[in-house]
Amino acid sequence: MEQSQHYYVRHLAEVNKINRVVIAADVFNSRGILVVKKGTEVDKVFAQKLAKHKLVKPLDQSISLAILLNQRTCLEFLIRCLEDMSLSYVARKSGLLGEASEVFHLLTQYPLITMKLTVLSERMPEVFSRSLITSVLALSLCRELKLSAQTAEHVFIANVIADVGLLHIDPFVVNKKGKYSQDEWKLMQGHVIIAKHFADMVPNLSKTIGKAVLEHHERADGFGYPFAKHLSQLGVEGQILAIVGKVIALADKLVIRGPHSWTSVIAVMQIPSTAHGSRVHDGMMRLLKRLPFKYEAAFSGLQFTLLVALCIEKRERLELWFKKFARIYVDHKSLMTDTEHFRPLSMLHKLEHTKDDTGVLNFAQDTWLTNLPTQLSVSDFLDIEEFALVLDEVEYQCLFVMRELVSGKDYLAKRFNGIELPYLYYRDLMNILAPEEAN
C-alpha cells in the first residue's frame, strides 16, 4: 500500500474509536486477491493488514462511517470557528453567516466528499474549520466579482476539499511547528496532488473543481506550486482559493496568534504583490474594506515608542539588503537571466515592484519616523502599526526570494562554475535579513 494511504488508514482507525468505520465493499489488492471482506471494522489490526497491499481502487470508495457531517453540524462548526477568530459580529453584520447556511447543503450532494470531510473534521479540526471559513469568504468574493452561481458553487466545493490531502501525509510533518526541511516541504506540497486525485474520483463532480484544487497554491507570478503556472494559465476559481488562503493565513499569524486586530490583515493585503491577479486582488480588497472591522491598538504607548526604533533599524537593514542584492545583478548580469525553470531576474523585479509601490524605503518615511512626537496619539499608533506590518511583509518577500534562490542552487552552481561564490553572496545577504538562516 502506498505510504500516503498508510497514514490515511491510521486516521480512519482513530476515527473508528468514536465513529464506527466499516468496509462497505470487499477490498481487493492489485493482483485481484481479496484482502478484506465487506463489514470489517477499520481498526489498528485492519490498518496493519492493509499496509502489506496495494489496493485495486482507493479505500475511500470502500468505506462507510456511522455518523456523517450534515448541513447543521457544518454550520455549528463554522460558528465556533468564527468565535475563535473574533469574527462572529462581522459575519452576522455582513451577512456571511446567512450565505454559509444556504450553501452547506451542496456538500451533502456528494457522499464521498461528506465522508472525507467527516474524517478531516475529527482528525484535523483546525484544518477543517479553516476550510469552512475560507470557503464562505471565497463565496462572498465570487459575488463581489459578479461570477455565475455555478462558478461560485464550484469555488465553494473546491475550497472546502482543497486540504483533504493532508490526511495522507505523515502527521509529524503536518503538525510540525517551525521551519520544514526541504524534504518535509516537498511532502507538504504533495497534499495538492492528493486532493486533486480525490476530486477526480468523486462521481459527477465538475472537472473545474479539481482544477481549482490543483491551483490553490499557484501564484500569478509563477512562483507557486505544484507547476509554477502564470496568471494566463490559471482559472479564476484557483485564483480565488489562493487569495482567500492568503487572507486567512495572515489572520492566523496577526490576529489569532498575534496581538493585532483584523484591520492589520487589510493593511498587509493592500501591499502590492505579484502573487495575485489585479482583478481578484482588487475584488478582495473591496470585500474586506466593506466588512465592519474596528481598529484596536496592538500595543501600549511605550511599546509603540519601542516599535518606532525597531522600524528605523529594520528599514536601514532592508535598504542595505536591497543595495547588495541589486548589485549582484549588475556585477553578474549575464548569469542572472531568466530561463523556463529558473527565473532570478523575475525575482528581482518582483521585489523592486513591492519596494517601489509600498514606498517603505523612501527618504520621506525615514523623516517621518525620526520626527514622530514623544507623546504619540491614537492616530500615530495606527500609522506606526501599519508601517511596521508593511516592513514585515517586505522583509518576508525578501526571505521568500532568498529561499527560492536556494531551491535553484543547482542552476546557480552551473552558471557560476561552482556554488562557492553564490554561497558567499547568500550568507552575506542572509546575515542582514535572518542571521539564524545564514549557514
Side-chain angles (χ1 to χ4, degrees):
M1 183 177 62
E2 296 179 359
Q3 188 72 355
S4 65
Q5 191 83 324
H6 167 66
Y7 295 121
Y8 184 51
V9 174
R10 283 167 53 183
H11 281 304
L12 291 175
E14 289 299 314
V15 170
N16 183 59
K17 295 177 180 178
I18 56 173
N19 184 3
R20 192 163 183 260
V21 184
V22 298
I23 298 300
D26 291 345
V27 175
F28 297 87
N29 67 16
S30 57
R31 293 181 295 170
I33 298 172
L34 178 64
V35 178
V36 182
K37 289 184 177 181
K38 176 181 177 180
T40 302
E41 195 166 311
V42 178
D43 54 18
K44 285 187 177 181
V45 174
F46 170 91
Q48 291 169 356
K49 182 176 183 179
L50 217 60
K52 303 173 184 177
H53 298 275
K54 182 177 181 180
L55 304 184
V56 71
K57 67 178 183 179
L59 188 60
D60 281 319
Q61 297 178 345
S62 303
I63 62 172
S64 66
L65 277 69
I67 303 172
L68 295 172
L69 287 170
N70 55 42
Q71 188 172 355
R72 178 183 59 80
T73 51
C74 283
L75 189 59
E76 289 172 352
F77 230 108
L78 176 64
I79 290 171
R80 289 196 298 271
C81 184
L82 290 169
E83 291 172 352
D84 292 341
M85 299 189 75
S86 305
L87 282 175
S88 297
Y89 170 78
V90 171
R92 289 195 303 271
K93 194 76 174 176
S94 64
L96 287 177
L97 195 58
E99 291 177 358
S101 63
E102 294 173 5
V103 295
F104 282 140
H105 75 277
L106 292 172
L107 303 179
T108 61
Q109 295 177 11
Y110 304 96
L112 210 57
I113 288 179
T114 306
M115 183 202 67
K116 195 77 167 184
L117 291 179
T118 301
V119 177
L120 186 67
S121 69
E122 295 187 5
R123 296 300 297 150
M124 298 181 179
E126 287 188 8
V127 174
F128 178 64
S129 296
R130 185 178 65 214
S131 296
L132 293 181
I133 287 280
T134 52
S135 296
V136 173
L137 187 60
L139 192 66
S140 295
L141 181 53
C142 286
R143 292 177 180 173
E144 177 65 34
L145 296 174
K146 296 180 171 55
L147 301 178
S148 69
Q150 183 181 59
T151 298
E153 290 183 3
H154 288 167
V155 167
F156 176 80
I157 295 171
N159 197 92
V160 84
I161 66 172
D163 286 332
V164 296
L166 295 173
L167 289 166
H168 295 257
I169 295 173
D170 186 349
F172 173 81
V173 177
V174 175
N175 298 320
K176 182 178 179 179
K177 306 298 181 184
K179 187 182 175 183
Y180 294 119
S181 68
Q182 198 165 0
D183 288 342
E184 289 169 342
W185 181 230
K186 286 181 180 178
L187 284 174
M188 285 298 290
Q189 290 180 333
H191 83 275
V192 174
I193 303 295
I194 297 170
K196 168 63 164 59
H197 286 325
F198 171 74
D200 287 344
M201 71 178 177
V202 176
N204 303 316
L205 193 68
S206 169
K207 297 301 180 184
T208 301
I209 293 173
K211 183 175 185 291
V213 168
L214 191 62
E215 294 176 350
H216 81 278
H217 280 297
E218 296 285 2
R219 292 167 50 113
D221 55 15
F223 289 109
Y225 65 87
F227 300 119
K229 291 183 178 181
H230 288 82
L231 179 61
S232 61
Q233 301 170 293
L234 300 172
V236 67
E237 297 87 355
Q239 294 180 59
I240 290 172
L241 266 62
I243 201 166
V244 296
K246 173 71 179 292
V247 169
I248 296 303
L250 282 173
D252 184 68
K253 174 185 174 183
L254 300 175
V255 183
I256 307 306
R257 304 180 195 278
H260 303 280
S261 57
W262 265 87
T263 54
S264 66
V265 176
I266 298 176
V268 175
M269 286 299 299
Q270 285 182 143
I271 298 171
S273 171
T274 56
H276 309 288
S278 58
R279 180 194 181 196
V280 170
H281 179 267
D282 293 348
M284 177 56 78
M285 292 312 305
R286 292 194 302 271
L287 175 60
L288 289 175
K289 288 180 178 179
R290 275 207 313 275
L291 296 175
F293 295 126
K294 294 181 180 179
Y295 170 70
E296 295 179 8
F299 311 109
S300 66
L302 176 59
Q303 288 174 317
F304 270 105
T305 301
L306 295 173
L307 183 59
V308 170
L310 289 173
C311 285
I312 293 172
E313 183 273 334
K314 180 174 289 189
R315 188 186 167 282
E316 290 174 350
R317 279 195 296 108
L318 287 173
E319 192 170 27
L320 174 63
W321 186 90
F322 268 99
K323 287 178 180 178
K324 285 180 174 285
F325 188 69
R327 188 69 205 177
I328 296 171
Y329 287 77
V330 174
D331 292 344
H332 305 283
K333 185 176 181 180
S334 63
L335 302 178
M336 301 300 281
T337 55
D338 285 357
T339 62
E340 181 182 357
H341 300 294
F342 185 56
R343 296 178 293 118
L345 192 59
S346 295
M347 295 180 198
L348 174 64
H349 290 161
K350 162 184 158 49
L351 288 177
E352 288 184 332
H353 170 77
T354 302
K355 173 176 69 72
D356 294 343
D357 281 17
T358 59
V360 290
L361 300 187
N362 290 350
F363 181 73
Q365 300 288 9
D366 181 64
T367 302
W368 167 66
L369 285 170
T370 54
N371 288 286
L372 281 166
T374 305
Q375 293 295 324
L376 299 171
S377 66
V378 174
S379 175
D380 291 327
F381 290 168
L382 175 59
D383 292 339
I384 294 166
E385 190 173 337
E386 289 193 352
F387 185 78
L389 289 167
V390 172
L391 271 179
D392 286 347
E393 179 64 17
V394 172
E395 182 181 51
Y396 168 78
Q397 291 192 25
C398 292
L399 285 167
F400 174 85
V401 165
M402 291 299 292
R403 289 161 185 156
E404 285 293 305
L405 288 172
V406 169
S407 69
K409 62 182 183 297
D410 292 340
Y411 296 105
L412 287 171
K414 289 180 182 178
R415 295 182 182 197
F416 282 83
N417 294 319
I419 201 64
E420 292 79 11
L421 185 56
Y423 175 68
L424 287 175
Y425 284 136
Y426 169 79
R427 190 171 62 181
D428 186 31
L429 290 166
M430 288 303 288
N431 271 324
I432 298 171
L433 280 181
E436 67 278 5
E437 293 188 36
N439 297 312

